[in-house]
Amino acid sequence: MGNRSDTISIDVAPVEIAQRRHAPLPENREVVFDVQDLGVRYGATTAVSGVDFDIYRNMITAVIGPSGCGKSTFIRCLNRMNDLVPGAQVDGKILYHGEDLYGSGVDPVEVRRRIGMVFQRPNPFPKSIYDNVAWGPRVLGMRKDLDERVERALRGAALWEEVKDRLKRSALSLSGGQQQRLCIARAIAIEPEVLLLDEPASALDPIATTSIEELMHGLKRDFTLVIVTHNMQQAARVADMTAFFSLEVGEGRRTGVLVEYDATEKIFTNPSDQRTEDYVTGRFG
Amino acid sequence: MVTGAGARLRAVYVACAMAAVPTTTPTTAPLRSGRRRIGDRVGDGALRTITALAALAVVVLLGAIVYKILHLAHSAWSTYGLHFVTAKTWDPVHKAFGALPFIYGTAISSLIALLISAPLAIGIALYLTELAPKGVRGVVGSLIEMLAAIPSVVLGLWGILVLGPFLANHLEPWLHRKLGFIGIFGAPEATGTGLFTAGLILTIMVVPIVASICRELFMQVPADLEEGALALGTTRWEMIRGVTLPATRSGIAAALILGLGRALGEAIAVTQVIGGGTRITNNVFGPGDTLASKIAASYQGAASSLEQSSLLYLGALLLIIGLVVNLVAQVIVRRFDPLREAR
């Protein structure tokens, strides 16, 4: 983890440096995911192919792109949720701290224990608010100081003040935004390293969306976040790094590909790929 | 939702009517009912009458059956009153009748069926919805349903010819040897007929019912919930125990109670394998009778009108038990559904 940004000098490859000026962050960051030539097929259909980029620690990485470009498919590879889809086949490699997530002997249950996920639709369990957060730690054997753990998780998800007096009430009595924050609390209660958020605000109203976005800024300190969103403004507001996925149409097939990956500011102000520019300026998608 | 849709529909009507007023187009006419064809109106009325009659027929039939049973059981009721329920003897020769041996037999055989079929049926349903490969699901699923299609009299014959002898020669002596000290596994009957055999035959009848209802229940658990559990790094079993089963527990209870209702009311197959007996014994291998099997076995040959009336009294008790069981199942489903608020 040497501070390599200092060693870049202006007189070498000026064009490249100019592009990097807006993105000095990644240079001194630890790589959490090293995605190498990743592809996903469902039966004969290729959903995504040739995805290749690094995801850095304690940053928010957004994955944006038009519908059907394989954003969700991609993020679900990061904690092996695609294992649950019958017929899904993953090619290429995802190195998580250097270890291949799809290598032999890797236990997907252990992977998901370290890499948590929050889904598009809030999906609290039909249990009490307390039990929603406490269930994961309980099952995983983290029973010590459970009350403190639950409180910490709920505070971390900025929900504690709203629910502290009704922890025994059903989680289904909460509003949609509260339910989603409860799902975030549930995910961070087991202290994962990474939090994957698959369009976490797309089913929420603007106020609830704002609170989720503010929450993400706070969570960055303790977790590495990857968020899939179809909402470009949301990516621009919350993400440090942004990956733009698009659809490549050929031979009657549509395959999701990674077009460009860079600092968010660069993606939105000065993208290097024409397709990215078309998308972020609203000419396409 | 319904009122919202109604209001919206009304608003559309009003908008149509108002739009029609200033213009001279002839669109006002269709809003008046006079324009509807006579045939349509008659058809509507006839449909309502016929369907209402069909619904009414069910109520009348239920009432008539209940009335007739109570009426015919009246002489036994006036002879024994409620004491009939707790009387232990059934002796046609001395005209002493009591229901307790049959209530006991019904309870024990149904309990055996319930205890064995509950884990079996839930296991089958979990396997078919959560664990089995796609191809297996359909095939095994249909086979389970077909188990329910075996006529009970055929199942009873199988019980006499195959299951009974097997139990008498192998399972029952073994249980008697190993677990006889508990007291309920007494000396087996040589024929293999008895409460235990009846319980097993009932199990075969109850499993398909409970399994297919549970399968529906597990399929209704939102995939979101199960993914949410797995995303926390839990195993399939932890997910099933922590999310799937709790979310469906009221439905499972109701399914078991429905299965229980089937077991309580089954007559023919039980009559064939239960051995027939009026003694209350704690040996589950011993012979006995249930309310239903006693009625099926003895009604044709009833020696006196009091015996006949007593058999109908048994029938009335069975009816009441059946209604209560059904009611309990309905209450459980309505009151204790944890997913209810999500819907």
Side-chain angles (χ1 to χ4, degrees):
Chain A
M1 279 221 323
N3 194 341
R4 283 174 28 218
S5 61
D6 291 349
T7 65
I8 296 168
S9 54
I10 293 296
D11 49 5
V12 186
V15 178
E16 203 186 336
I17 299 302
Q19 281 180 355
R20 280 195 189 166
R21 206 173 52 215
H22 297 284
L25 284 163
E27 298 303 332
N28 53 13
R29 292 289 169 140
E30 187 184 336
V31 173
V32 175
F33 290 105
D34 177 2
V35 183
Q36 298 180 356
D37 196 27
L38 184 82
V40 184
R41 283 174 290 144
Y42 296 117
T45 355
T46 305
V48 196
S49 75
V51 177
D52 209 310
F53 69 110
D54 293 347
I55 292 171
Y56 304 101
R57 184 168 186 169
N58 293 88
M59 282 197 168
I60 301 179
T61 303
V63 178
I64 61 168
S67 305
C69 69
K71 309 182 290 279
S72 286
T73 298
F74 165 72
I75 198 174
R76 290 169 67 94
C77 288
L78 296 180
N79 67 342
R80 293 196 57 171
M81 284 306 274
N82 276 337
D83 289 19
L84 308 174
V85 183
Q89 173 71 42
V90 176
D91 306 314
K93 267 187 184 171
I94 301 175
L95 301 183
Y96 172 66
H97 293 296
E99 192 181 353
D100 188 0
L101 280 184
Y102 285 86
S104 66
V106 172
D107 181 6
V109 171
E110 192 55 36
V111 169
R112 293 181 203 127
R113 153 83 189 77
R114 311 225 185 130
I115 304 168
M117 187 162 206
V118 174
F119 297 83
Q120 183 167 1
R121 255 185 37 161
N123 58 351
F125 302 133
K127 300 175 187 287
S128 70
I129 294 167
Y130 181 91
D131 284 337
N132 256 276
V133 183
W135 184 72
R138 235 185 238 142
V139 168
L140 299 173
M142 300 183 266
R143 280 160 222 250
K144 204 164 163 270
D145 302 324
L146 197 56
D147 288 354
E148 285 78 19
R149 183 181 284 273
V150 169
E151 178 176 342
R152 204 159 58 234
L154 284 168
R155 281 190 191 281
L159 191 61
W160 174 252
E161 292 302 324
E162 289 160 68
V163 301
K164 65 180 177 193
D165 300 323
R166 47 172 175 157
L167 292 172
K168 296 287 166 212
R169 294 266 309 270
S170 168
L172 304 175
S173 65
L174 298 173
S175 73
Q178 289 173 325
Q179 287 188 5
Q180 194 63 304
R181 274 178 286 149
L182 182 65
C183 291
I184 292 173
R186 181 174 79 184
I188 62 180
I190 59 169
E191 292 171 14
E193 189 200 347
V194 181
L195 207 50
L196 308 175
L197 302 111
D198 188 358
E199 308 211 20
S202 69
L204 305 181
D205 63 66
I207 293 170
T209 301
T210 310
S211 73
I212 297 276
E213 288 176 8
E214 280 168 2
L215 176 58
M216 289 179 66
H217 281 297
L219 289 172
K220 193 163 83 163
R221 227 163 31 98
D222 300 317
F223 305 96
T224 301
L225 286 91
V226 183
I227 176 176
V228 161
T229 176
H230 62 261
N231 179 336
M232 280 184 286
Q233 283 75 33
Q234 184 167 63
R237 284 191 298 261
V238 301
D240 301 299
M241 301 292 291
T242 297
F244 170 62
F245 278 51
S246 186
L247 278 169
E248 204 161 68
V249 183
E251 299 163 31
R253 290 201 176 144
R254 294 146 65 88
T255 306
V257 292
L258 172 67
V259 173
E260 189 171 354
Y261 175 60
D262 215 321
T264 300
E265 199 186 336
K266 171 98 170 35
I267 291 278
F268 283 95
T269 54
N270 184 24
S272 6
D273 196 289
Q274 186 60 40
R275 289 170 292 178
T276 314
E277 174 140 19
D278 288 349
Y279 185 76
V280 298
T281 53
R283 256 175 283 174
F284 157 68
Chain B
M1 276 308 278
V2 176
T3 55
R8 210 156 47 238
L9 203 61
R10 234 176 356 259
V12 171
Y13 278 134
V14 170
C16 286
M18 292 200 350
V21 172
T23 62
T24 51
T25 48
T27 46
T28 49
L31 284 175
R32 267 188 267 126
S33 64
R35 281 284 295 262
R36 262 200 301 167
R37 289 215 323 273
I38 299 258
D40 286 354
R41 269 187 288 166
V42 172
D44 264 10
L47 183 68
R48 187 175 302 132
T49 313
I50 291 168
T51 50
L53 281 175
L56 190 66
V58 174
V59 178
V60 171
L61 196 63
L62 188 65
I65 291 171
V66 171
Y67 170 77
K68 197 66 191 171
I69 288 174
L70 293 182
H71 182 72
L72 290 171
H74 186 255
S75 81
W77 168 258
S78 51
T79 311
Y80 301 111
L82 265 182
H83 185 64
F84 182 76
V85 178
T86 53
K88 286 184 197 164
T89 44
W90 182 277
D91 187 350
V93 180
H94 297 96
K95 296 206 175 163
F97 299 108
L100 198 61
F102 313 116
I103 294 174
Y104 176 77
T106 305
I108 295 298
S109 59
S110 299
L111 194 69
I112 292 171
L114 204 61
L115 285 180
I116 302 175
S117 63
L120 211 57
I122 294 169
I124 290 170
L126 279 177
Y127 176 69
L128 290 178
T129 48
E130 308 285 346
L131 305 166
K134 264 230 161 70
V136 174
R137 289 176 196 207
V139 178
V140 177
S142 329
L143 284 177
I144 302 278
E145 309 256 322
M146 265 151 83
L147 200 56
I150 299 176
S152 56
V153 69
V154 175
L155 202 57
L157 280 178
W158 180 78
I160 295 171
L161 297 172
V162 182
L163 184 64
F166 171 77
L167 292 177
N169 296 329
H170 302 286
L171 187 64
E172 290 183 359
W174 184 80
L175 281 172
H176 180 54
R177 264 201 321 278
K178 299 284 175 191
L179 298 168
F181 62 88
I182 304 174
I184 58 167
F185 299 117
E189 293 280 302
T191 51
T193 54
L195 288 170
F196 186 65
T197 315
L200 287 189
I201 288 289
L202 288 174
T203 303
I204 296 173
M205 295 180 167
V206 169
V207 160
I209 299 173
V210 181
S212 62
I213 299 176
C214 285
R215 198 167 140 225
E216 295 290 319
L217 286 169
F218 297 150
M219 285 199 293
Q220 276 172 21
V221 174
D224 287 13
L225 280 186
E226 300 191 334
E227 281 194 336
L230 291 174
L232 290 173
T234 60
T235 61
R236 285 232 164 227
W237 165 237
E238 286 161 348
M239 171 201 89
I240 287 168
R241 221 185 51 168
V243 176
T244 313
L245 291 179
T248 51
R249 59 173 181 248
S250 70
I252 293 172
L256 287 172
I257 290 172
L258 279 177
L260 179 66
R262 175 85 170 87
L264 292 171
E266 174 55 34
I268 287 301
V270 173
T271 313
Q272 283 169 293
V273 298
I274 201 164
T278 57
R279 269 187 51 229
I280 296 178
T281 159
N282 58 0
N283 175 13
V284 294
F285 300 145
D289 248 326
T290 68
L291 291 167
S293 74
K294 185 63 189 169
I295 298 168
S298 303
Y299 194 77
Q300 294 290 339
S304 63
S305 66
L306 186 60
E307 184 178 0
Q308 212 168 51
S309 182
S310 297
L311 286 168
L312 277 150
Y313 198 160
L314 294 183
L317 291 176
L318 190 55
L319 187 73
I320 291 165
I321 292 170
L323 290 178
V324 168
V325 163
N326 214 307
L327 215 64
V328 169
Q330 288 188 21
V331 168
I332 287 178
V333 170
R334 297 220 180 114
R335 283 277 168 81
F336 305 104
D337 188 354
L339 286 175
R340 189 179 33 160
E341 280 180 75
R343 288 196 192 116

